[in-house]
Amino acid sequence: MTSRLTRRQRRRVWQGVQYAIFVGAVVLIAVLADWERLQNQFAQTDLAVRLFPDIITIALRNTVVYTVSGFVLGLVLGLVIAMMRLSSVTPYRWVASMYIELFRGLPALLIFIFVGVAVPLAFPGTEIPGGTYGKVAIGLGLVAAAYMAETIRAGIQAVPKGQMEAARSLGFSHARAMVSVIIPQAFRIVIPPLTNELVLLFKDSSLVLFLGVTLEERELTKYGRDLASETANSTPILVAGLCYLLVTIPLSIVVRRLEARGDKAT
């Protein structure tokens, strides 16, 4: 008479099956893949060496500048939109809600096209300060602000109401209590999702290629794509991807640690 497996035993058996499937898939890919062709197309060491230092001093630097400028603009605008969203003035809430729905619903690419093409057509002779850098900052900032506004609003609402009541009892006006007490606590709550938004913006900065940039304004994707076209080899694209990971992986680790610290605090 065969004994029936317990729940724990069944779980272990199922885990073993999953590990076996994973190992089998890895082995199958390793056996069937044409590694020589992949190396010739994506891992030419001499070509990768030729990308330095420009891929760092120009492409990666521009990517970081685009990301940081868009993040700062998005954070400031997002805070304003969040406060409007929480306002007791109905038109403010309407405007904030429409902004959030509009810019969260539209692809970021369309926002970049709007900033780079529609604005100059609508306002002839008007130039966005900073040239390409200004356009990218505005494009990324407009998109990021819609997401950050909802994140900040949630953070403000997560602050216990007693904090506002305590501040008002000490003679603080509502505005001063928000600035001095509520908003600082809200930002401590929303640091992890805001850091995650920074990671997303870092990748979205690749859309700058649709604005038309000079050689000195290229970011990682544009730089890798141009060099890949010139050399008829995809190694520059792989190196550009590794440069993205050089920034996004540490940021992702920071996000996880901040989230873990927040979970412990609660």
Side-chain angles (χ1 to χ4, degrees):
M1 179 177 179
T2 59
S3 59
R4 300 180 62 181
L5 297 177
T6 65
R7 180 178 300 178
R8 178 177 297 181
Q9 290 173 330
R10 289 198 299 269
R11 183 167 62 249
R12 288 179 177 177
V13 170
W14 176 237
Q15 288 177 345
V17 171
Q18 293 182 67
Y19 280 119
I21 293 174
F22 175 76
V23 172
V26 172
V27 171
L28 185 63
I29 293 173
V31 171
L32 297 179
D34 191 336
W35 294 105
E36 184 176 355
R37 291 186 64 184
L38 286 174
Q39 180 179 1
N40 291 335
Q41 185 63 27
F42 289 97
Q44 290 294 323
T45 306
D46 55 338
L47 180 55
V49 171
R50 285 168 48 194
L51 302 177
F52 294 89
D54 287 352
I55 195 170
I56 301 295
T57 59
I58 295 178
L60 182 58
R61 180 203 65 193
N62 285 335
T63 301
V64 171
V65 171
Y66 294 148
T67 303
V68 172
S69 59
F71 181 81
V72 172
L73 179 61
L75 186 62
V76 174
L77 183 57
L79 177 58
V80 173
I81 297 298
M83 297 305 296
M84 293 174 63
R85 187 81 167 77
L86 295 171
S87 174
S88 59
V89 181
T90 303
Y92 287 171
R93 295 200 304 272
W94 288 349
V95 171
S97 298
M98 286 189 294
Y99 178 92
I100 291 170
E101 295 302 325
L102 177 64
F103 284 94
R104 285 202 308 180
L106 290 175
L109 174 59
L110 295 184
I111 306 302
F112 269 76
I113 294 175
F114 173 80
V115 172
V117 179
V119 172
L121 288 176
F123 304 97
T126 301
E127 294 186 2
I128 296 177
T132 300
Y133 293 95
K135 293 178 183 178
V136 176
I138 293 175
L140 289 176
L142 289 174
V143 175
Y147 293 93
M148 290 186 185
E150 286 294 87
T151 300
I152 295 172
R153 179 185 65 81
I156 292 174
Q157 292 180 325
V159 176
K161 294 182 179 180
Q163 296 292 318
M164 174 62 78
E165 295 171 355
R168 294 302 298 273
S169 67
L170 293 174
F172 284 49
S173 65
H174 184 274
R176 185 182 175 190
M178 287 295 296
V179 172
S180 301
V181 179
I182 305 302
I183 291 178
Q185 294 186 59
F187 269 99
R188 283 196 291 270
I189 296 172
V190 301
I191 283 177
L194 289 182
T195 307
N196 191 54
E197 182 64 30
L198 180 62
V199 175
L200 296 176
L201 282 181
F202 188 76
K203 294 183 292 184
D204 284 344
S205 64
S206 62
L207 296 173
V208 69
L209 63 91
F210 292 98
L211 295 178
V213 294
T214 65
L215 294 178
E216 293 299 317
E217 295 171 339
R218 291 180 294 179
E219 43 68 57
L220 283 170
T221 299
K222 176 66 172 173
Y223 184 89
R225 180 174 157 180
D226 288 349
L227 269 293
S229 298
E230 291 178 12
T231 60
N233 191 276
S234 299
T235 299
I237 295 178
L238 177 62
V239 176
L242 294 176
C243 289
Y244 276 108
L245 295 177
L246 187 65
V247 176
T248 57
I249 289 179
L251 282 176
S252 298
I253 293 173
V254 169
V255 172
R256 288 195 295 270
R257 289 186 176 179
L258 289 174
E259 290 175 343
R261 182 179 300 178
D263 292 340
K264 290 181 179 179
T266 56

